[in-house]
PDB file of all heavy atoms in Angstrom:
ATOM      1  N   ASP A 543      -7.349 -28.854 -29.072  1.00 88.00           N
ATOM      2  CA  ASP A 543      -6.977 -27.462 -28.886  1.00 88.00           C
ATOM      3  C   ASP A 543      -6.744 -27.134 -27.410  1.00 88.00           C
ATOM      4  O   ASP A 543      -6.494 -25.951 -27.097  1.00 88.00           O
ATOM      5  CB  ASP A 543      -8.144 -26.496 -29.394  1.00 88.00           C
ATOM      6  CG  ASP A 543      -9.477 -26.741 -28.716  1.00 88.00           C
ATOM      7  OD1 ASP A 543      -9.529 -27.582 -27.809  1.00 88.00           O
ATOM      8  OD2 ASP A 543     -10.487 -26.121 -29.093  1.00 88.00           O
ATOM      9  N   GLN A 544      -6.670 -28.141 -26.562  1.00 93.00           N
ATOM     10  CA  GLN A 544      -6.351 -27.968 -25.195  1.00 93.00           C
ATOM     11  C   GLN A 544      -4.866 -28.367 -24.881  1.00 93.00           C
ATOM     12  O   GLN A 544      -4.401 -28.489 -23.762  1.00 93.00           O
ATOM     13  CB  GLN A 544      -7.309 -28.739 -24.211  1.00 93.00           C
ATOM     14  CG  GLN A 544      -8.693 -28.442 -24.415  1.00 93.00           C
ATOM     15  CD  GLN A 544      -8.985 -26.878 -24.133  1.00 93.00           C
ATOM     16  OE1 GLN A 544      -8.453 -26.396 -23.153  1.00 93.00           O
ATOM     17  NE2 GLN A 544      -9.684 -26.245 -24.986  1.00 93.00           N
ATOM     18  N   LEU A 545      -4.085 -28.624 -25.978  1.00 91.00           N
ATOM     19  CA  LEU A 545      -2.724 -29.114 -25.654  1.00 91.00           C
ATOM     20  C   LEU A 545      -1.865 -28.322 -24.893  1.00 91.00           C
ATOM     21  O   LEU A 545      -1.216 -28.729 -23.954  1.00 91.00           O
ATOM     22  CB  LEU A 545      -2.083 -29.432 -27.068  1.00 91.00           C
ATOM     23  CG  LEU A 545      -0.725 -30.046 -27.036  1.00 91.00           C
ATOM     24  CD1 LEU A 545      -0.768 -31.381 -26.272  1.00 91.00           C
ATOM     25  CD2 LEU A 545      -0.070 -30.148 -28.392  1.00 91.00           C
ATOM     26  N   GLU A 546      -1.859 -26.965 -25.184  1.00 92.00           N
ATOM     27  CA  GLU A 546      -0.993 -26.084 -24.433  1.00 92.00           C
ATOM     28  C   GLU A 546      -1.448 -26.050 -22.947  1.00 92.00           C
ATOM     29  O   GLU A 546      -0.560 -25.982 -22.046  1.00 92.00           O
ATOM     30  CB  GLU A 546      -1.011 -24.636 -25.001  1.00 92.00           C
ATOM     31  CG  GLU A 546      -0.244 -24.436 -26.271  1.00 92.00           C
ATOM     32  CD  GLU A 546       1.309 -24.737 -26.064  1.00 92.00           C
ATOM     33  OE1 GLU A 546       1.794 -24.217 -25.055  1.00 92.00           O
ATOM     34  OE2 GLU A 546       1.857 -25.513 -26.764  1.00 92.00           O
ATOM     35  N   ARG A 547      -2.689 -26.016 -22.732  1.00 95.00           N
ATOM     36  CA  ARG A 547      -3.184 -26.019 -21.315  1.00 95.00           C
ATOM     37  C   ARG A 547      -2.856 -27.363 -20.669  1.00 95.00           C
ATOM     38  O   ARG A 547      -2.528 -27.398 -19.446  1.00 95.00           O
ATOM     39  CB  ARG A 547      -4.686 -25.778 -21.286  1.00 95.00           C
ATOM     40  CG  ARG A 547      -5.160 -24.369 -21.614  1.00 95.00           C
ATOM     41  CD  ARG A 547      -6.642 -24.244 -21.661  1.00 95.00           C
ATOM     42  NE  ARG A 547      -7.173 -22.879 -21.809  1.00 95.00           N
ATOM     43  CZ  ARG A 547      -8.087 -22.472 -22.503  1.00 95.00           C
ATOM     44  NH1 ARG A 547      -8.769 -23.370 -23.299  1.00 95.00           N
ATOM     45  NH2 ARG A 547      -8.459 -21.201 -22.597  1.00 95.00           N
ATOM     46  N   LEU A 548      -2.916 -28.448 -21.368  1.00 94.00           N
ATOM     47  CA  LEU A 548      -2.567 -29.746 -20.812  1.00 94.00           C
ATOM     48  C   LEU A 548      -1.098 -29.796 -20.412  1.00 94.00           C
ATOM     49  O   LEU A 548      -0.748 -30.324 -19.401  1.00 94.00           O
ATOM     50  CB  LEU A 548      -2.908 -30.794 -21.809  1.00 94.00           C
ATOM     51  CG  LEU A 548      -2.652 -32.312 -21.299  1.00 94.00           C
ATOM     52  CD1 LEU A 548      -3.491 -32.571 -20.037  1.00 94.00           C
ATOM     53  CD2 LEU A 548      -3.041 -33.255 -22.408  1.00 94.00           C
ATOM     54  N   HIS A 549      -0.285 -29.215 -21.270  1.00 93.00           N
ATOM     55  CA  HIS A 549       1.205 -29.078 -20.995  1.00 93.00           C
ATOM     56  C   HIS A 549       1.350 -28.426 -19.594  1.00 93.00           C
ATOM     57  O   HIS A 549       2.109 -28.922 -18.690  1.00 93.00           O
ATOM     58  CB  HIS A 549       1.970 -28.226 -21.971  1.00 93.00           C
ATOM     59  CG  HIS A 549       2.108 -28.990 -23.286  1.00 93.00           C
ATOM     60  ND1 HIS A 549       2.186 -30.303 -23.509  1.00 93.00           N
ATOM     61  CD2 HIS A 549       2.279 -28.339 -24.576  1.00 93.00           C
ATOM     62  CE1 HIS A 549       2.320 -30.563 -24.700  1.00 93.00           C
ATOM     63  NE2 HIS A 549       2.393 -29.403 -25.458  1.00 93.00           N
ATOM     64  N   ILE A 550       0.657 -27.345 -19.320  1.00 95.00           N
ATOM     65  CA  ILE A 550       0.766 -26.647 -18.122  1.00 95.00           C
ATOM     66  C   ILE A 550       0.166 -27.427 -16.983  1.00 95.00           C
ATOM     67  O   ILE A 550       0.810 -27.533 -15.861  1.00 95.00           O
ATOM     68  CB  ILE A 550       0.044 -25.185 -18.230  1.00 95.00           C
ATOM     69  CG1 ILE A 550       0.852 -24.328 -19.181  1.00 95.00           C
ATOM     70  CG2 ILE A 550       0.029 -24.516 -16.843  1.00 95.00           C
ATOM     71  CD1 ILE A 550       0.157 -22.949 -19.399  1.00 95.00           C
ATOM     72  N   LEU A 551      -0.993 -27.931 -17.075  1.00 96.00           N
ATOM     73  CA  LEU A 551      -1.626 -28.638 -15.985  1.00 96.00           C
ATOM     74  C   LEU A 551      -0.771 -29.825 -15.562  1.00 96.00           C
ATOM     75  O   LEU A 551      -0.668 -30.118 -14.436  1.00 96.00           O
ATOM     76  CB  LEU A 551      -3.057 -29.080 -16.403  1.00 96.00           C
ATOM     77  CG  LEU A 551      -3.853 -29.874 -15.462  1.00 96.00           C
ATOM     78  CD1 LEU A 551      -4.028 -29.057 -14.083  1.00 96.00           C
ATOM     79  CD2 LEU A 551      -5.154 -30.296 -16.027  1.00 96.00           C
ATOM     80  N   THR A 552      -0.233 -30.611 -16.570  1.00 94.00           N
ATOM     81  CA  THR A 552       0.507 -31.749 -16.246  1.00 94.00           C
ATOM     82  C   THR A 552       1.803 -31.359 -15.513  1.00 94.00           C
ATOM     83  O   THR A 552       2.141 -32.113 -14.482  1.00 94.00           O
ATOM     84  CB  THR A 552       0.893 -32.490 -17.508  1.00 94.00           C
ATOM     85  OG1 THR A 552      -0.325 -32.900 -18.191  1.00 94.00           O
ATOM     86  CG2 THR A 552       1.624 -33.798 -17.212  1.00 94.00           C
ATOM     87  N   ARG A 553       2.494 -30.384 -15.834  1.00 93.00           N
ATOM     88  CA  ARG A 553       3.641 -29.850 -15.209  1.00 93.00           C
ATOM     89  C   ARG A 553       3.316 -29.400 -13.758  1.00 93.00           C
ATOM     90  O   ARG A 553       3.971 -29.703 -12.849  1.00 93.00           O
ATOM     91  CB  ARG A 553       4.437 -28.757 -16.000  1.00 93.00           C
ATOM     92  CG  ARG A 553       5.029 -29.323 -17.212  1.00 93.00           C
ATOM     93  CD  ARG A 553       5.727 -28.171 -17.928  1.00 93.00           C
ATOM     94  NE  ARG A 553       6.447 -28.556 -19.169  1.00 93.00           N
ATOM     95  CZ  ARG A 553       7.639 -29.076 -19.258  1.00 93.00           C
ATOM     96  NH1 ARG A 553       8.350 -29.234 -18.102  1.00 93.00           N
ATOM     97  NH2 ARG A 553       8.187 -29.380 -20.384  1.00 93.00           N
ATOM     98  N   ALA A 554       2.199 -28.696 -13.693  1.00 95.00           N
ATOM     99  CA  ALA A 554       1.752 -28.149 -12.381  1.00 95.00           C
ATOM    100  C   ALA A 554       1.333 -29.223 -11.399  1.00 95.00           C
ATOM    101  O   ALA A 554       1.418 -28.972 -10.135  1.00 95.00           O
ATOM    102  CB  ALA A 554       0.597 -27.091 -12.482  1.00 95.00           C
ATOM    103  N   ASP A 555       0.914 -30.383 -11.929  1.00 94.00           N
ATOM    104  CA  ASP A 555       0.461 -31.508 -11.083  1.00 94.00           C
ATOM    105  C   ASP A 555       1.571 -32.149 -10.339  1.00 94.00           C
ATOM    106  O   ASP A 555       1.338 -33.013  -9.528  1.00 94.00           O
ATOM    107  CB  ASP A 555      -0.312 -32.397 -11.979  1.00 94.00           C
ATOM    108  CG  ASP A 555      -1.176 -33.401 -11.140  1.00 94.00           C
ATOM    109  OD1 ASP A 555      -1.470 -33.017  -9.978  1.00 94.00           O
ATOM    110  OD2 ASP A 555      -1.472 -34.455 -11.662  1.00 94.00           O
ATOM    111  N   VAL A 556       2.845 -31.769 -10.555  1.00 92.00           N
ATOM    112  CA  VAL A 556       3.930 -32.344  -9.890  1.00 92.00           C
ATOM    113  C   VAL A 556       4.284 -31.507  -8.662  1.00 92.00           C
ATOM    114  O   VAL A 556       4.780 -30.407  -8.797  1.00 92.00           O
ATOM    115  CB  VAL A 556       5.184 -32.439 -10.818  1.00 92.00           C
ATOM    116  CG1 VAL A 556       6.388 -33.012 -10.005  1.00 92.00           C
ATOM    117  CG2 VAL A 556       4.892 -33.328 -12.023  1.00 92.00           C
ATOM    118  N   THR A 557       3.960 -31.992  -7.478  1.00 90.00           N
ATOM    119  CA  THR A 557       4.052 -31.241  -6.257  1.00 90.00           C
ATOM    120  C   THR A 557       4.970 -32.016  -5.215  1.00 90.00           C
ATOM    121  O   THR A 557       5.115 -31.568  -4.095  1.00 90.00           O
ATOM    122  CB  THR A 557       2.745 -30.899  -5.629  1.00 90.00           C
ATOM    123  OG1 THR A 557       2.113 -32.090  -5.222  1.00 90.00           O
ATOM    124  CG2 THR A 557       1.880 -30.111  -6.538  1.00 90.00           C
ATOM    125  N   THR A 558       5.636 -33.043  -5.769  1.00 85.00           N
ATOM    126  CA  THR A 558       6.483 -33.794  -4.772  1.00 85.00           C
ATOM    127  C   THR A 558       7.647 -33.041  -4.268  1.00 85.00           C
ATOM    128  O   THR A 558       8.200 -32.081  -4.906  1.00 85.00           O
ATOM    129  CB  THR A 558       7.013 -35.080  -5.481  1.00 85.00           C
ATOM    130  OG1 THR A 558       7.894 -35.814  -4.596  1.00 85.00           O
ATOM    131  CG2 THR A 558       7.821 -34.703  -6.867  1.00 85.00           C
ATOM    132  N   ARG A 559       8.052 -33.234  -2.981  1.00 83.00           N
ATOM    133  CA  ARG A 559       9.205 -32.591  -2.450  1.00 83.00           C
ATOM    134  C   ARG A 559      10.473 -33.401  -2.788  1.00 83.00           C
ATOM    135  O   ARG A 559      11.539 -32.872  -2.438  1.00 83.00           O
ATOM    136  CB  ARG A 559       9.041 -32.546  -0.927  1.00 83.00           C
ATOM    137  CG  ARG A 559       8.008 -31.545  -0.431  1.00 83.00           C
ATOM    138  CD  ARG A 559       7.855 -31.552   1.064  1.00 83.00           C
ATOM    139  NE  ARG A 559       6.773 -30.599   1.506  1.00 83.00           N
ATOM    140  CZ  ARG A 559       6.430 -30.456   2.754  1.00 83.00           C
ATOM    141  NH1 ARG A 559       7.113 -31.194   3.723  1.00 83.00           N
ATOM    142  NH2 ARG A 559       5.566 -29.587   3.079  1.00 83.00           N
ATOM    143  N   ASN A 560      10.308 -34.583  -3.353  1.00 85.00           N
ATOM    144  CA  ASN A 560      11.504 -35.347  -3.789  1.00 85.00           C
ATOM    145  C   ASN A 560      12.048 -34.693  -5.056  1.00 85.00           C
ATOM    146  O   ASN A 560      11.501 -34.802  -6.123  1.00 85.00           O
ATOM    147  CB  ASN A 560      11.040 -36.766  -4.075  1.00 85.00           C
ATOM    148  CG  ASN A 560      12.222 -37.711  -4.442  1.00 85.00           C
ATOM    149  OD1 ASN A 560      13.158 -37.342  -5.107  1.00 85.00           O
ATOM    150  ND2 ASN A 560      12.068 -38.918  -3.949  1.00 85.00           N
ATOM    151  N   VAL A 561      13.191 -33.926  -4.800  1.00 87.00           N
ATOM    152  CA  VAL A 561      13.815 -33.222  -5.947  1.00 87.00           C
ATOM    153  C   VAL A 561      14.127 -34.066  -7.119  1.00 87.00           C
ATOM    154  O   VAL A 561      13.896 -33.797  -8.293  1.00 87.00           O
ATOM    155  CB  VAL A 561      15.050 -32.473  -5.514  1.00 87.00           C
ATOM    156  CG1 VAL A 561      15.680 -31.697  -6.620  1.00 87.00           C
ATOM    157  CG2 VAL A 561      14.657 -31.449  -4.370  1.00 87.00           C
ATOM    158  N   ARG A 562      14.729 -35.254  -6.850  1.00 88.00           N
ATOM    159  CA  ARG A 562      15.094 -36.140  -7.932  1.00 88.00           C
ATOM    160  C   ARG A 562      13.961 -36.647  -8.798  1.00 88.00           C
ATOM    161  O   ARG A 562      13.887 -36.621  -9.918  1.00 88.00           O
ATOM    162  CB  ARG A 562      15.795 -37.406  -7.292  1.00 88.00           C
ATOM    163  CG  ARG A 562      16.308 -38.420  -8.356  1.00 88.00           C
ATOM    164  CD  ARG A 562      17.139 -39.455  -7.736  1.00 88.00           C
ATOM    165  NE  ARG A 562      18.292 -39.001  -7.076  1.00 88.00           N
ATOM    166  CZ  ARG A 562      19.203 -39.777  -6.409  1.00 88.00           C
ATOM    167  NH1 ARG A 562      18.998 -41.079  -6.376  1.00 88.00           N
ATOM    168  NH2 ARG A 562      20.244 -39.219  -5.835  1.00 88.00           N
ATOM    169  N   LYS A 563      12.810 -36.974  -8.009  1.00 86.00           N
ATOM    170  CA  LYS A 563      11.551 -37.359  -8.749  1.00 86.00           C
ATOM    171  C   LYS A 563      11.015 -36.177  -9.616  1.00 86.00           C
ATOM    172  O   LYS A 563      10.580 -36.382 -10.771  1.00 86.00           O
ATOM    173  CB  LYS A 563      10.568 -37.900  -7.785  1.00 86.00           C
ATOM    174  CG  LYS A 563       9.205 -38.363  -8.440  1.00 86.00           C
ATOM    175  CD  LYS A 563       8.225 -38.863  -7.372  1.00 86.00           C
ATOM    176  CE  LYS A 563       6.944 -39.353  -7.949  1.00 86.00           C
ATOM    177  NZ  LYS A 563       5.916 -39.720  -7.028  1.00 86.00           N
ATOM    178  N   ALA A 564      10.944 -34.995  -8.967  1.00 86.00           N
ATOM    179  CA  ALA A 564      10.426 -33.894  -9.675  1.00 86.00           C
ATOM    180  C   ALA A 564      11.238 -33.557 -10.908  1.00 86.00           C
ATOM    181  O   ALA A 564      10.707 -33.254 -12.079  1.00 86.00           O
ATOM    182  CB  ALA A 564      10.438 -32.616  -8.806  1.00 86.00           C
ATOM    183  N   ASP A 565      12.609 -33.656 -10.783  1.00 85.00           N
ATOM    184  CA  ASP A 565      13.478 -33.423 -11.965  1.00 85.00           C
ATOM    185  C   ASP A 565      13.225 -34.477 -13.104  1.00 85.00           C
ATOM    186  O   ASP A 565      13.215 -34.183 -14.272  1.00 85.00           O
ATOM    187  CB  ASP A 565      14.938 -33.424 -11.517  1.00 85.00           C
ATOM    188  CG  ASP A 565      15.321 -32.186 -10.765  1.00 85.00           C
ATOM    189  OD1 ASP A 565      14.521 -31.178 -10.789  1.00 85.00           O
ATOM    190  OD2 ASP A 565      16.324 -32.151 -10.122  1.00 85.00           O
ATOM    191  N   ARG A 566      13.132 -35.810 -12.631  1.00 83.00           N
ATOM    192  CA  ARG A 566      12.886 -36.824 -13.614  1.00 83.00           C
ATOM    193  C   ARG A 566      11.577 -36.599 -14.400  1.00 83.00           C
ATOM    194  O   ARG A 566      11.553 -36.697 -15.596  1.00 83.00           O
ATOM    195  CB  ARG A 566      12.784 -38.177 -12.870  1.00 83.00           C
ATOM    196  CG  ARG A 566      12.489 -39.349 -13.796  1.00 83.00           C
ATOM    197  CD  ARG A 566      12.637 -40.647 -13.032  1.00 83.00           C
ATOM    198  NE  ARG A 566      11.664 -40.721 -11.934  1.00 83.00           N
ATOM    199  CZ  ARG A 566      10.404 -41.108 -12.032  1.00 83.00           C
ATOM    200  NH1 ARG A 566       9.953 -41.454 -13.168  1.00 83.00           N
ATOM    201  NH2 ARG A 566       9.670 -41.176 -10.905  1.00 83.00           N
ATOM    202  N   LEU A 567      10.511 -36.132 -13.678  1.00 84.00           N
ATOM    203  CA  LEU A 567       9.252 -35.880 -14.348  1.00 84.00           C
ATOM    204  C   LEU A 567       9.349 -34.703 -15.266  1.00 84.00           C
ATOM    205  O   LEU A 567       8.817 -34.654 -16.384  1.00 84.00           O
ATOM    206  CB  LEU A 567       8.162 -35.689 -13.358  1.00 84.00           C
ATOM    207  CG  LEU A 567       7.734 -36.917 -12.575  1.00 84.00           C
ATOM    208  CD1 LEU A 567       6.788 -36.593 -11.401  1.00 84.00           C
ATOM    209  CD2 LEU A 567       7.025 -37.914 -13.499  1.00 84.00           C
ATOM    210  N   SER A 568      10.046 -33.668 -14.816  1.00 87.00           N
ATOM    211  CA  SER A 568      10.219 -32.493 -15.634  1.00 87.00           C
ATOM    212  C   SER A 568      11.055 -32.769 -16.877  1.00 87.00           C
ATOM    213  O   SER A 568      10.671 -32.289 -17.996  1.00 87.00           O
ATOM    214  CB  SER A 568      10.933 -31.430 -14.888  1.00 87.00           C
ATOM    215  OG  SER A 568      11.123 -30.236 -15.571  1.00 87.00           O
ATOM    216  N   PHE A 569      12.062 -33.526 -16.772  1.00 86.00           N
ATOM    217  CA  PHE A 569      12.877 -33.904 -17.974  1.00 86.00           C
ATOM    218  C   PHE A 569      12.133 -34.730 -18.888  1.00 86.00           C
ATOM    219  O   PHE A 569      12.210 -34.592 -20.107  1.00 86.00           O
ATOM    220  CB  PHE A 569      14.220 -34.620 -17.515  1.00 86.00           C
ATOM    221  CG  PHE A 569      15.184 -33.761 -16.740  1.00 86.00           C
ATOM    222  CD1 PHE A 569      15.971 -34.268 -15.819  1.00 86.00           C
ATOM    223  CD2 PHE A 569      15.208 -32.356 -16.994  1.00 86.00           C
ATOM    224  CE1 PHE A 569      16.833 -33.516 -15.007  1.00 86.00           C
ATOM    225  CE2 PHE A 569      16.117 -31.628 -16.268  1.00 86.00           C
ATOM    226  CZ  PHE A 569      16.875 -32.201 -15.288  1.00 86.00           C
TER     227      PHE A 569
END
Side-chain angles (χ1 to χ4, degrees):
D543 59 1
Q544 300 305 311
L545 182 61
E546 283 299 312
R547 287 174 173 141
L548 183 60
H549 288 332
I550 293 176
L551 179 60
T552 302
R553 289 181 181 273
D555 197 23
V556 178
T557 63
T558 177
R559 291 179 180 175
N560 184 321
V561 176
R562 182 174 297 179
K563 181 179 180 181
D565 286 346
R566 177 172 60 84
L567 290 170
S568 179
F569 293 149

